[in-house]
Amino acid sequence: MRERDLDRMLDLVEDQYLTASQDAARRLEQNPPIHWKRWAALAACAAIVVAGAFRLLGNGSLSMGGTGSREEHVSGDVFDFYAGPVLPLTLAEPAEQVDAVRRVTWDFTGFAAPPMEETSSASLSADVQVTDETVLTNHGGEDRTVTVLYPAAVSLLDLTQYPLPTLNVDGAAVRTQVFPGSRTDSVSEWADYEALLSGGGYLKEAVSPLPDTVQNLLAQQVSVYTVDYARVTAGESGNPSAGIRLHIDPDRTSLLAYGFGSLAQDEPGEMEIGFPISEDREDTPHCLIFLGEDPGIGPVQAYSKLGREPQEDLEVTADVTRQEMTLEEILEPLALAFYGQQEDLKQICSFQDFYTLFCRDLTASFPGPGRAMELTGWPGEDLENLLSRTGWMNRVWYTAAEVTIPAGGSVTVTAQMIRPASRDHGYGNSKVYGYDLAIDLDSNLTFTAANASLENTGGIRITGQNFGFDLENGITEVSLDLEQSRYYLEVCQKGGSDP
């Protein structure tokens, strides 16, 4: 057996992906990424659109909801893909004698294309330009300086297509700071957003420094097994998997696995975990990270399919090493290996920003010993899946700016953004597009009035709403009832077949 240990594997990962990250950094000098929790010019915050970018890990801005494809969408009901509502401005701290008036506008220019069935390709864009104006009035006798926070729900990877809102005050650009919230794995409809954001806990966590629980988790001592250079040394190989039998007490041990794409579980804690031998490349680490007690691992064996008996006619060898270290000592290089393979992430943010966001997510979601079976069905998590979810799962981002409201006067804070539509599966159902508005969800502002308007509506037909628009009679602006927490609008393209 060749002398290959974990240190050499980590050196390999760092050499390869630090080079990739350095190359990305040079490219990003011309296209600055977003740096959250840092002061940056508004223009820099907005300059995250990368021409021709694609999403390797999926479209996180459209969260899965509903129950699957339906023959007909019920107006106001849950969509299969929910884009989330347009959320209201709030303040970092409540301000007495300050109230607000809100005006939200949706621009449907993208629906002006010819009807989809009359073109050779789908030219319609259901994305809309949203302008959300909030007039803040100071009724006190002294100037008030407040920190405004504007929330928007979007995944990290979808920032290429749906950049964070730009903010201006009385038409002038302001310096902004961005605070990302934790990823929102189970948010797929209006009620989920209402439950997530009500009470202020999500916002408070987003704007706070990383909690001690993050560092406490990263400082834990772990046992790390690295399986390297798996190869068939005897017998007809075919395409077997290198598999390892594990016996884990889920109350005492939790597992993070990296580079193991297959899992078969007989009963709680009794499993085989492996990867195709043909995919065992020198640049692909395969690590088993045990938190809590170290249960040890069985020998590496060949399996035609995990969950079946090993292939006795094949002899498989691999270099297996075991080391003890802190979780951070193994987590950071593995996260770097993952980041180095994701071109979209390198266009959007630095590795350190991605890693910090991942650590926050991991602390909030990783089920340690005693909880893993209940939450995941097996005593651990796939580390690559956790890293992926940091990229493609929705989260609420807060764009912050300091605003001074003169005594007895007002200022207008304007947020502009591109928002996707909610939609259902299926060709027919996909012709209906939904747009939601939250009037005052998790805002500490006192709203005294609100209205909504539609622009460039020549290409749409309203199929469902509770706003009160009437396009046939020219009613494109309406006053809103502040007691109505959620407003919804559903449209289809005018001139196309009925949805």
Side-chain angles (χ1 to χ4, degrees), residues 1 227-234 236-237 239-247 260 262 266 271-278 280 288 297-320:
M1 180 180 292
V227 182
D228 207 1
Y229 299 103
R231 55 209 178 273
V232 175
T233 55
E236 294 294 329
S237 63
N239 188 29
S241 291
I244 298 172
R245 186 78 183 175
L246 300 176
H247 306 270
F260 287 82
S262 302
D266 300 333
M271 68 185 72
E272 288 128 14
I273 191 166
F275 56 88
I277 293 176
S278 61
D280 184 23
L288 299 172
I297 66 173
V300 179
Q301 295 178 287
Y303 290 82
S304 61
K305 183 178 180 180
L306 291 187
R308 299 177 179 174
E309 292 297 318
Q311 290 185 258
E312 301 293 346
D313 58 327
L314 294 183
E315 182 179 323
V316 175
T317 61
D319 297 349
V320 180

Side-chain angles (χ1 to χ4, degrees), residues 210-401:
L210 287 177
D212 292 341
T213 52
V214 175
Q215 196 55 47
N216 292 341
L217 177 63
L218 296 178
Q220 284 192 31
Q221 287 291 314
V222 296
S223 301
V224 180
Y225 291 82
T226 302
V227 182
D228 207 1
Y229 299 103
R231 55 209 178 273
V232 175
T233 55
E236 294 294 329
S237 63
N239 188 29
S241 291
I244 298 172
R245 186 78 183 175
L246 300 176
H247 306 270
I248 298 176
D249 181 345
D251 291 327
R252 298 176 179 273
T253 303
S254 192
L255 168 66
L256 283 171
Y258 187 97
F260 287 82
S262 302
L263 169 72
Q265 184 168 249
D266 300 333
E267 56 186 72
E270 302 289 327
M271 68 185 72
E272 288 128 14
I273 191 166
F275 56 88
I277 293 176
S278 61
E279 296 181 10
D280 184 23
R281 305 185 305 272
E282 186 170 321
D283 60 353
T284 303
H286 305 281
C287 294
L288 299 172
I289 306 166
F290 293 106
L291 289 80
E293 291 186 2
D294 179 5
I297 66 173
V300 179
Q301 295 178 287
Y303 290 82
S304 61
K305 183 178 180 180
L306 291 187
R308 299 177 179 174
E309 292 297 318
Q311 290 185 258
E312 301 293 346
D313 58 327
L314 294 183
E315 182 179 323
V316 175
T317 61
D319 297 349
V320 180
T321 60
R322 177 190 181 278
Q323 287 194 352
E324 294 183 359
M325 61 187 69
T326 66
L327 179 59
E328 183 167 26
E329 287 174 323
I330 183 62
L331 200 60
E332 186 167 8
L334 291 178
L336 182 61
F338 175 87
Y339 174 87
Q341 295 172 330
Q342 310 303 320
E343 291 302 318
D344 278 7
L345 285 177
K346 290 186 286 186
Q347 299 286 355
I348 294 170
C349 64
S350 70
F351 168 71
Q352 194 56 51
D353 283 338
F354 170 75
Y355 181 65
T356 300
L357 198 57
F358 166 70
C359 288
R360 180 191 287 272
D361 290 346
L362 179 68
T363 306
S365 65
F366 176 63
R371 298 183 61 239
M373 290 298 303
E374 175 187 352
L375 298 179
T376 69
W378 64 288
E381 275 275 16
D382 179 352
L383 183 54
E384 288 170 285
N385 183 42
L386 290 172
L387 288 159
S388 295
R389 296 209 302 251
T390 291
W392 62 262
M393 291 302 295
N394 258 14
R395 66 185 72 241
V396 178
W397 305 73
Y398 296 88
T399 302

Side-chain angles (χ1 to χ4, degrees), residues 123-146:
S123 55
L124 177 147
S125 171
D127 296 344
V128 293
Q129 177 77 37
V130 177
T131 302
D132 192 349
E133 295 178 338
T134 305
V135 179
L136 301 176
T137 299
N138 176 10
H139 297 281
E142 298 180 355
D143 294 354
R144 292 293 301 270
T145 298
V146 298

